Structures are given as C-alpha cells and as structure tokens.
Amino acid sequence: MKSSRSAAASSPVNGKEDWDTRRKRKTADIAQALSATPVDVAALRRMAISEGGLLTDEIRCQVWPRLLNVPLSVLDQEPETVERENNKDYNQVLLDVQRSLRRFPPGMPDEQREGLQEELIDIILRVLKRNPQLHYYQGYHDIVVTFLLVLEERLATALVEKLSTHHLRDFMDPTMDNTKHILNYLMPIIDRVNPEVHDFMQQAEVGTVFALSWLITWFGHVLSDFRHVVRLYDFFLACHPLMPIYFAAVIVLYREEEVLECECDMAMVHHLLSQIPQDLPYETLISRAGDLFVQFPPSELAREAASHESMASSTFKDFDLASTQQRPDSVLRRRRRQKQAALESSAASSVVAQPSAARRFVRLAVMGLTVALGAAALAVVNTALEWAPKLDLFP
C-alpha cells in the first residue's frame, strides 16, 4: 500500500477541531462498513460522496475496489506479460506517457517515476489487449495514472479495466459520437439553472469543446493538485457515469460573473472557460452537482441531448446491481421493490427544487439503488427503498 499523498484533500474550514472530530468519526464509519458482512457498499458510496471524500489513499485502496465490485483476490493473480512490439497503440501510449511528467508528485526520484511510467504503459496495453472492443484515446492515460499513484499495479489494472468497460466505455468507441452525446448534456443543465449564462454562451457560439478534456480525463489533466483529483474520483466512482458532466456544469455556473463579463466572442469565451481555476470550492461544487443531478436527472435532459442513450449509462444498471448486491436473494428483493416503486413513478415530479441536505442524500441513495443511477448517498435504508419512486434513466 502506498503512502498517502491526499490525506488533507478539500478539508473544510469550519474549524480544525470540528473537522478532526468529523474526520475520526468518518474513518470509523468507513471501517465499520468495510468490516460488515456483507460489506456495506452503499454506506461506502455515501462516504465517498460526502464531505472530504475517502480522506486518504490508504482508505481508497480498500474502498475503490468495493465501489467498482472488484475482488481483492486480483492481488493474487500474476499480471500477464504485455507485448509492446507490433502493438497498434504502443507508440501513441508511449508518447502520452512521456508527456505525463507533471502528473507525478513533485520531487519523486527519476528512477521511481520512470518505473511507474513503465507500469502505466503496461496497464493501458494490458486492458486494451483483454478488451479489443475498446479503443485508446488521448487523455485515457491521465485517468490510469491516477489509479496507479493510489493503488499498486495489479489492483490498478483491475479497476481501470472495470471502469473502462463501464463509466468510460463511451470514450473508448472508434468514433467520438458518444462522447459528443455526453457533452450535449452540458448546455441543458446550464439552461435549467441560469438561462442568462446559457444564452450568452449560445450567442458566443462557444460550444462545449472547452469541457472535453475535463470529461474524458475526469479532470485529471486540468487540475494540478493531486488531492483535488482523487477527491473528485471518490465522487465519480460512487456516482452515475454522467456525473462528471454535471460537475462540469457547476464549474461554469460558479464562474457566472466571469463569463457574463467576458466579451461575447467565441475565442474569448472558449479561452476563459478552458482555463479552469485551481482554487475552486470543491466540496461546495460536489454538493451542488449532486443537487442538480437530483433536480434534473438525465432522463429529463435526454431528449435535448440526443435521441439515444450512451453505452455507459445503458450498462450501468446491471453494473450497479452487481456492485451493490451481496447475497443472491437480495436481487429478488430489490426487483420486487423496484416493481412496487414503479407504481409510484408519478411522485418523482413532485420533488422540491431545493431539497434539504438530508433529503437530497436519501434521494440520491434511492435513485442509486432502485434505478441504478449510481449516486451513493446518506444511507441505504430499507425504509427509504419502500417509498422511493422509480425513475427511468432515459425515456
């Protein structure tokens, strides 16, 4: 297990003593969820989303595999040798990895960094070899290196492979059609919250390309502080595959004044939005993204974004069910609850515009389990599942 480089990520400023108390309580809650039989995956999701995320890399080594339903037994498997010669992706992967120096911690000895870069190449080529339907894209290495820096090579390989066939699946198509489809959700979200910003961006004809690198690297390429990167990964791993585009929207909305004061010119607005601030209030924005996901779920925006659903979203229901169920009979119980909840689907439209924090987290939990929208939440309480409405991911 590697030493933690992100233990103090996004610590709140409400008082050191108060935060230390909450931190200790959260650490104990995570340990309890991990030691439960079966492991309380839903509680771990709640911890990953809530204030401070998973706190340390040591905890992430234990929790990230649970969030992706990857058994720790993969550590006992010897990774296969990767053939680099005559590999169609090797040259591009090598170039990208060689350009990734800034993604490694400052002061890391050259020998250690070069060793990790070799492991990074092997992980990428290994995942692509095992899954020939996946296509490498520039920026993929920014995600893989984050897992490598937190986990060791074997575990990182297993998690990256699971992520690549689920959350990242759309980015790994032969074309960018599905990636463009996901980007198409950005403007409808902004329009729902701030029509003035939306109209200004439309008038400037800035499009959504400025957010492409945010989306396909899970912000790993554009954030300089590793603590902020892994805090976002905690959040995204616990959530629906479209959550990164909601987070992109809240960044734009947070910069409302800057945007509206900018000259209404495509190049000027694109330049402004492309330069992401490094001092963002991450905890506030994470909370806001969760609010917007509940208020404006993908099903409500899908018609505006496109007429077809993304592969990552369409496969997420089965993935989420597999990652949360621990006993065979739990599948049957969950499906019975889903059928019952389907009768109450009309209640979904009555959600208040600004739910309280507690209600928001409970709704995120319910949506995550009954609809496999994936947002983890305050607790997976059976009583909540009894009244929860079923919201279809896409119409």
Side-chain angles (χ1 to χ4, degrees), residues 16-29:
K16 185 176 185 302
E17 182 176 353
D18 186 40
W19 169 238
D20 287 344
T21 300
R22 295 199 304 276
R23 180 188 180 90
K24 290 177 181 178
R25 184 186 306 116
K26 188 172 194 178
T27 302
D29 290 343

Side-chain angles (χ1 to χ4, degrees), residues 51-64:
E51 185 180 43
L54 294 175
L55 303 176
T56 69
D57 287 351
E58 287 78 10
I59 293 177
R60 291 183 178 97
C61 288
Q62 301 176 68
V63 175
W64 280 5

Side-chain angles (χ1 to χ4, degrees), residues 2 5 103-105 116 145-151 226:
K2 301 187 178 183
R5 285 173 295 279
R103 291 302 316 279
F104 293 88
L116 287 172
V145 73
T146 303
F147 283 90
L148 180 60
L149 290 173
V150 174
L151 314 168
F226 188 72

Side-chain angles (χ1 to χ4, degrees), residues 51-300:
E51 185 180 43
L54 294 175
L55 303 176
T56 69
D57 287 351
E58 287 78 10
I59 293 177
R60 291 183 178 97
C61 288
Q62 301 176 68
V63 175
W64 280 5
R66 301 291 187 180
L67 296 179
L68 289 177
N69 194 35
V70 172
L72 295 179
S73 59
V74 297
L75 295 174
D76 301 326
Q77 302 172 7
E78 188 70 27
E80 67 270 30
T81 302
V82 179
E83 178 61 46
R84 296 187 177 186
E85 291 187 12
N86 301 319
N87 187 300
K88 65 181 180 65
D89 296 303
Y90 173 66
N91 289 332
Q92 185 61 58
V93 171
L94 177 63
L95 288 173
D96 290 344
V97 170
Q98 288 176 338
R99 289 194 291 255
S100 66
L101 296 183
R102 70 179 188 82
R103 291 302 316 279
F104 293 88
M108 175 178 283
D110 289 345
E111 183 177 355
Q112 182 182 2
R113 174 184 50 74
E114 291 168 1
L116 287 172
Q117 286 180 303
E118 291 299 310
E119 292 181 8
L120 178 57
I121 294 173
D122 285 344
I123 291 173
I124 294 173
L125 295 181
R126 190 175 294 126
V127 170
L128 295 174
K129 178 183 178 182
R130 292 176 183 173
N131 303 272
Q133 77 278 15
L134 301 180
H135 297 261
Y136 178 77
Y137 65 88
Q138 288 184 274
Y140 182 67
H141 70 289
D142 279 300
I143 289 183
V144 180
V145 73
T146 303
F147 283 90
L148 180 60
L149 290 173
V150 174
L151 314 168
E152 57 79 42
E153 182 181 1
R154 296 186 190 184
L155 195 53
T157 300
L159 267 65
V160 166
E161 182 171 12
K162 177 61 71 73
L163 199 69
S164 300
T165 54
H166 290 88
H167 292 65
L168 306 179
R169 180 64 183 85
D170 292 308
F171 309 144
M172 306 192 76
D173 274 350
T175 70
M176 291 189 65
D177 289 347
N178 276 337
T179 301
K180 293 175 183 176
H181 167 66
I182 296 175
L183 281 170
N184 285 345
Y185 280 83
L186 181 64
M187 295 306 291
I189 298 170
I190 293 173
D191 189 31
R192 291 294 197 282
V193 180
N194 193 324
E196 184 180 5
V197 171
H198 170 272
D199 293 348
F200 180 87
M201 293 175 64
Q202 290 287 80
Q203 185 178 350
E205 299 181 340
V206 68
T208 57
V209 175
F210 67 87
L212 178 62
S213 64
W214 305 358
L215 181 67
I216 65 176
T217 69
W218 276 13
F219 296 85
H221 183 72
V222 294
L223 298 182
S224 59
D225 193 324
F226 188 72
R227 298 172 305 165
H228 298 153
V229 174
V230 292
R231 174 64 187 100
L232 289 182
Y233 277 44
D234 293 341
F235 180 46
F236 296 151
L237 286 172
C239 291
H240 185 279
L242 291 180
M243 189 58 81
I245 202 67
Y246 281 80
F247 192 80
V250 299
I251 289 180
V252 175
L253 292 166
Y254 174 75
R255 304 181 69 190
E256 169 192 358
E257 292 185 7
E258 292 179 83
V259 172
L260 295 178
E261 290 175 0
C262 182
E263 182 180 344
C264 192
D265 171 77
M266 181 181 68
M268 296 291 289
V269 179
H270 177 84
H271 177 75
L272 171 69
L273 292 174
S274 299
Q275 306 301 312
I276 188 170
Q278 297 297 312
D279 59 347
L280 294 170
Y282 291 93
E283 295 299 335
T284 300
L285 297 182
I286 286 172
S287 178
R288 182 60 172 149
D291 283 340
L292 295 185
F293 188 89
V294 171
Q295 292 174 248
F296 312 115
S299 57
E300 183 178 318

